[in-house]
Amino acid sequence: MSNFDSQLEKLKDKLFDQESVKTYFSLKSQIEQSTELNELRNKIRYYAQEMTKNMDDDETYFKNKELYERVLSEYNEHPLVVDYNVVAEEVNNLLKQLKNIIE
């Protein structure tokens, strides 16, 4: 392994040791395993498809749009999703800093 490769490996290890990165992966896993959030994601997809199918029927379209927005809001306001979005932004900023240093 070259010096560059070993330094890159150290950087990766330090990155994955960051508390925000650990929290990011933990929250991501919890969201993926949450039955409640999976059901909400399925409903969001369903109502989005129904809106697309019923673009020519205003009454049905707007009924599905209202349901879509309600379920999407419920999903986005779930504590795990709120925390995930905050931590994802922190991790994104960390990665941007690394990118700027490398450039």
Side-chain angles (χ1 to χ4, degrees), residues 27-90:
L27 288 169
K28 184 175 187 235
S29 176
Q30 290 175 60
I31 288 170
E32 289 170 352
Q33 295 174 10
S34 169
T35 303
E36 176 186 2
L37 291 173
N38 281 325
E39 288 173 4
L40 289 172
R41 275 194 302 274
N42 288 337
K43 286 180 182 180
I44 290 166
R45 269 192 295 274
Y46 172 79
Y47 291 129
Q49 290 170 349
E50 289 302 304
M51 287 184 337
T52 301
K53 282 194 249 179
N54 293 291
M55 291 183 76
D56 294 335
D57 180 352
D58 284 350
E59 183 180 338
T60 304
Y61 173 84
F62 285 110
K63 176 184 166 196
N64 284 302
K65 182 177 181 192
E66 180 184 333
L67 293 168
Y68 169 84
E69 289 173 348
R70 188 178 313 148
V71 174
L72 182 61
S73 177
E74 185 179 345
Y75 179 86
N76 287 330
E77 292 171 6
H78 191 283
L80 283 176
V81 175
V82 170
D83 290 348
Y84 173 81
N85 288 333
V86 169
V87 173
E89 184 66 27
E90 290 174 14

Side-chain angles (χ1 to χ4, degrees), residues 9-19 21 94:
E9 190 67 29
K10 285 180 186 177
L11 177 61
K12 183 193 86 154
D13 291 343
K14 285 189 178 199
L15 180 63
F16 279 83
D17 279 343
Q18 293 290 314
E19 197 59 39
V21 175
L94 178 62

